[in-house]
Structure formats: C-alpha cells, structure tokens
Amino acid sequence: AIDTAATPPTELVVKEINPGTGKAIGPNSLVTVQYVGSAWSTGQVFDSSWAAGAAQFPIKGVITGWQEGLQGVKEGARVLLIIPPGQGYGASPPPGSGIAVDDTLVFVVDVEKVGS
C-alpha cells in the first residue's frame, strides 16, 4: 500500500523485487509484461494488465520512467517503479485515467518476455 501522506521521491526509484534470469531489456526491445499502476496521491489503482492479459509494446513507446527504469531488467523479473511526474505524465495525464496532474506513479511490473 502507498502511504499517500508521505512525500513522494523526486527521483526515479527502481527496485527489483525478484531478479530475472532471461534476456535483458534494451532501448529498442519489444516487451511483454504484466503490471499494475497506482497513483501516489490517492493510492488507487488506475491501470492493470492482470484482468485483460499481458501487454506487449516497444519499450521506447512508453513513459520515460518505464524506459529508464526497465533498461537492463531481465525476463522473469518483478520490478517496483516509483516514477516522479517529470518521467510520467506530468501536467498532461491521460483524460479519464484517474491520474492527477503532476502525480507520482507507482508500478509493479512483471517482465514476461523480451524480444527485439
């Protein structure tokens, strides 16, 4: 759970909860992940792939916090990302997303597959 009363970090936080042993994510990798994302300000989940199934996308097509935080992470890893606004959505969160302007984002990401 997020302590919404605590001051969020101002720098990207990356913590490997479980290390992976497979192929590492590079700057042009196509990744398949399961994830859940919460907003620091409310502690509420705003997005999760678990119900719909794993998500696949090029790593260079996502927010900066994911691009930087997942570089070098290997298949099979579970990673905690705490992403400050400047590396998330900042002043322009997706409409209807439940993300406030300049909110810090908290993700737990399971890296299932790394392709090229």
Side-chain angles (χ1 to χ4, degrees):
I2 300 169
D3 180 358
T4 57
T7 301
T10 57
E11 300 290 325
L12 177 65
V13 174
V14 180
K15 180 178 179 186
E16 275 197 66
I17 298 167
N18 295 319
T21 57
K23 186 175 178 183
I25 296 174
N28 297 307
S29 293
L30 180 66
V31 297
T32 304
V33 299
Q34 291 278 15
Y35 66 90
V36 61
S38 300
W40 185 285
S41 64
T42 64
Q44 297 298 307
V45 171
F46 62 80
D47 195 11
S48 176
S49 66
W50 289 101
Q56 184 180 66
F57 46 78
I59 195 70
K60 63 184 174 187
V62 294
I63 58 175
T64 306
W66 274 54
Q67 290 180 41
E68 293 181 8
L70 294 178
Q71 283 301 305
V73 173
K74 295 179 178 176
E75 281 178 349
R78 174 170 282 180
V79 181
L80 169 69
L81 299 174
I82 302 176
I83 303 173
Q87 292 175 299
Y89 294 106
S92 304
S97 64
I99 302 169
V101 169
D102 292 330
D103 209 348
T104 297
L105 309 177
V106 181
F107 287 93
V108 175
V109 182
D110 285 2
V111 180
E112 293 189 345
K113 183 168 175 46
V114 176
S116 48

